[in-house]
Amino acid sequence: MTHRAHRDQAPDTGVTYVFAVCRGTRATRTADVTGLVGMPGGAAVRLLPSGPLTAVVQTVPAADFTDEVWQSRLSDPREIERYARAHHEVVSAAAAHGPAVPLPLATLYHDDDRARRALDDEAHRFHRVLKRIAHHAEWGVKVYEPATAPEVAEPVTVGGGGLEAPAAGAGLAYLNRRRGVQERREQRRERALSVAESVDAELREVAAASRRLRTHGAVPGGDGRVHVLNATYLVAEHRSEELGVLVRGLGERTGAMIELTGPWVPYSFVGEV
Amino acid sequence: MAAERAVVPWDSPEPLSGPIGVPLVDLLDRVLATGVVVSGDLVIAIADVPLVRVSLHALLSSVSERVPAPWADGGPL
């Protein structure tokens, strides 16, 4: 499975990169995609009609899109960012004209005919997904446990003056303090998780579908907050305002830090149909 | 990458916006980790979930290695 890249391909061969699949409406068939950059090194982004569907595609150099090249690309944060953003830009543009099913980064076919055949083979699935995501957007919601307050050193009460030897029990007091710190940390985490659960439960009420993504742990940048919920919701366009109001209200009510991102093309809601 | 995290996510409902300002970590959650809809002819390994998970994990842990997660399993989920 891992080594399916075709080594017999001439180095200058072009392959067809598919960004997204839309309905072949007049709006999409006549959409202007010429201004889009697409993948680095690729030819012009263009439309590939196939029956009632239209794909947004680009011819890219095969040599730049082999397994091996992607392996090293995935280990370079700057490169992966460049390709991910290029992919996202085209997907977002495709979705401006109507529902668009985003394909995962680096979905490639030998040529247009193979791409068309793949779309035709899966046409019923694409239509189901397109129906599901029409007039919906994806919204990401992240909940953070607030930064840990600095542990206030409790005043040491044992021993009055500084000159006396530590009173008996100082070691025990120290251990008790340590235990207290640990317990408070546990309590904070439990509180944060229960806030996350109730936020998710309330947001699911306005969503057509929801998914949990992996959490990111501690947030880089050093402010110490910890990510406790990474959820994403498929929300009807006419309810997006309601979602925003609800998120703000939940933030005020729970005191948790809640971040809302979106609207996204429904990346997270095209895989299970 | 740290600067990337400082980008304030777009908070108000607006038309589908371009890629500028989209937090990278959220973008990768979606562009890489979403379900495979169709199998491509080439570079299937990229769309192959196990590889993506492994690579994504390596990538993201390099992003956040300066601030290790406070619990070993990486979070509650």
Side-chain angles (χ1 to χ4, degrees), chain B:
Chain B
M1 301 287 279
E4 185 59 45
R5 289 296 317 156
V7 171
V8 177
W10 60 124
D11 251 323
S12 54
E14 278 167 14
L16 292 165
S17 56
I20 304 305
V22 173
L24 178 63
V25 72
D26 298 308
L27 182 60
L28 293 181
D29 276 345
R30 290 171 174 82
V31 171
L32 291 181
T34 47
V36 179
V37 175
V38 285
S39 296
D41 285 341
L42 305 169
V43 204
I44 285 179
I46 298 305
D48 195 3
V49 174
L51 172 68
V52 167
R53 285 220 179 111
V54 168
S55 304
L56 194 59
H57 181 77
L59 171 69
L60 293 165
S61 54
S62 77
V63 171
S64 55
E65 66 192 355
R66 278 172 302 140
V67 189
W71 45 83
D73 61 2
L77 297 179

Side-chain angles (χ1 to χ4, degrees), chain A residues 15 65 67 70 81 85 108-110 114 122 125 138 142 193 212 214 216 230 232 260-264 267, chain B residues 4-5 9-10 14 19 22 26 29-30 34 37-43 45-46 48 60 67 76-77:
Chain A
V15 291
F65 288 82
D67 235 16
W70 271 101
E81 172 163 17
R85 289 197 187 282
L108 294 137
Y109 297 92
H110 290 304
R114 297 277 303 221
E122 301 282 347
R125 269 173 80 204
E138 174 175 342
K142 294 186 291 180
L193 289 180
R212 295 283 191 99
R214 71 198 173 84
H216 303 151
N230 190 13
T232 196
L260 180 64
T261 64
W264 295 90
Y267 284 103
Chain B
E4 185 59 45
R5 289 296 317 156
W10 60 124
E14 278 167 14
V22 173
D26 298 308
D29 276 345
R30 290 171 174 82
T34 47
V37 175
V38 285
S39 296
D41 285 341
L42 305 169
V43 204
I46 298 305
D48 195 3
L60 293 165
V67 189
L77 297 179

